[in-house]
Amino acid sequence: METAKGETANGQTETTTVAAAVVEYGGRYLLMKRADHAGNGGMWEFPGGKIELGESLQAAVEREIKEELGVKATTGRLLASSETHDLKNGQNRVLRLFGIETFIEHEPRELKDHTEFLWVRPEEFSKFPMTPAEYGLLSSLKNFFQAEREVISMNIWSAVKMASVLNGIVGILIASFFLMTSMALPVPFSLTMRQKIVAASMVPILNIIFGACAGAIIALVFNLYASVFGGIKFRVR
């Protein structure tokens, strides 16, 4: 990230302000690895950069994403911020880092100051070396990571299994009720107990088959919807 610097009147404090893009996709967040020739080379960070004179945090993120990654970005709310102090040679250095909710049209196409990028889950951030300022922002983002999730795809096989099990249980309850009742099926002739047992045993099987088909259809429709319009976000309390 580039930085914006400022000093107090006595020249003892240097302030650096950076806007960082917090880009999420499928529960993973975009991290960039700094090029070796850049400052903090080899470390990982959220993409972003300095705020120019008269520029908002959101505008700075959109501009930096376009310049550094070759991607058009749209921004949302301010998610978190952090402030890191570093006293060196009698000079107090302050780094203010702001995390902005950001959406991009596709994965990065250009890497100006970075060598690679990864989509990382919040619980895996500790595996990637970052600067103290970046870790400070991650700490501030902790509640956001825990509070909001987005479902962007549904595993078809998992949906099939879940739906078939639930429908199978319903089928067993229906069959049990059918066997316990003194009434036969609503047909103009009575059934023997053997016939009732055979008929009742078919109910759970048919329910499982129906549930599996319904689960597959639901998963396919959801995945199609998510690929066109985006996933469904929900909050975890």
Side-chain angles (χ1 to χ4, degrees):
M1 296 178 185
E2 298 179 78
T3 57
K5 300 180 179 180
E7 293 186 353
T8 59
N10 58 18
Q12 295 301 306
T13 300
E14 182 182 275
T15 300
T16 301
T17 303
V18 175
V22 181
V23 186
E24 183 267 347
Y25 181 78
R28 293 179 171 85
Y29 294 83
L30 181 63
L31 288 185
M32 313 295 300
K33 187 176 183 180
R34 296 285 294 178
D36 292 336
H37 67 269
N40 298 318
M43 291 188 173
W44 293 81
E45 64 182 2
F46 292 109
K50 68 179 181 180
I51 304 171
E52 296 183 349
L53 185 62
E55 193 174 41
S56 67
L57 293 170
Q58 285 79 1
V61 166
E62 293 176 7
R63 176 181 52 76
E64 288 290 340
I65 292 296
K66 181 64 176 178
E67 292 176 358
E68 294 184 3
L69 309 182
V71 178
K72 182 180 179 181
T74 55
T75 51
R77 53 190 168 140
L78 170 65
L79 299 178
S81 64
S82 67
E83 187 171 288
T84 306
H85 294 259
D86 179 26
L87 186 61
K88 186 176 182 180
N89 298 327
Q91 185 179 45
N92 181 32
R93 298 183 177 182
V94 180
L95 175 61
R96 293 172 181 167
L97 187 57
F98 297 88
I100 306 298
E101 182 181 35
T102 306
F103 308 91
I104 57 178
E105 294 183 335
H106 48 75
E107 291 191 331
R109 291 180 174 175
E110 301 174 11
L111 299 180
K112 181 179 178 182
D113 295 321
H114 304 89
T115 57
E116 60 180 299
F117 66 88
L118 288 174
W119 295 94
V120 182
R121 294 188 181 279
E123 59 270 21
E124 298 173 336
F125 283 142
S126 60
K127 300 177 182 179
F128 300 87
M130 302 180 187
T131 63
E134 214 75 26
Y135 281 123
L137 182 61
L138 287 176
S139 179
S140 298
L141 285 167
K142 183 176 180 181
N143 290 335
F144 168 75
F145 290 145
Q146 293 177 342
E148 189 168 72
R149 297 290 184 271
E150 182 179 12
V151 180
I152 53 90
S153 65
M154 185 181 297
N155 185 284
I156 297 178
W157 176 236
S158 296
V160 166
K161 290 191 293 183
M162 182 176 66
S164 61
V165 169
L166 292 177
N167 278 269
I169 293 173
V170 173
I172 292 174
L173 295 176
I174 294 174
S176 299
F177 176 79
F178 174 66
L179 289 174
M180 289 187 294
T181 183
S182 59
M183 297 178 61
L185 289 173
V187 291
F189 55 88
S190 61
L191 298 177
T192 65
M193 180 55 67
R194 181 177 180 180
Q195 291 173 326
K196 290 179 67 176
I197 292 174
V198 172
S201 65
M202 292 298 297
V203 175
I205 296 175
L206 293 175
N207 269 41
I208 290 173
I209 296 174
F210 172 79
C213 295
I217 293 173
I218 291 172
L220 288 171
V221 171
F222 177 84
N223 290 345
L224 178 61
Y225 173 89
S227 66
V228 176
F229 301 103
I232 295 177
K233 288 189 175 182
F234 64 96
R235 287 192 168 271
V236 180
R237 297 294 183 183

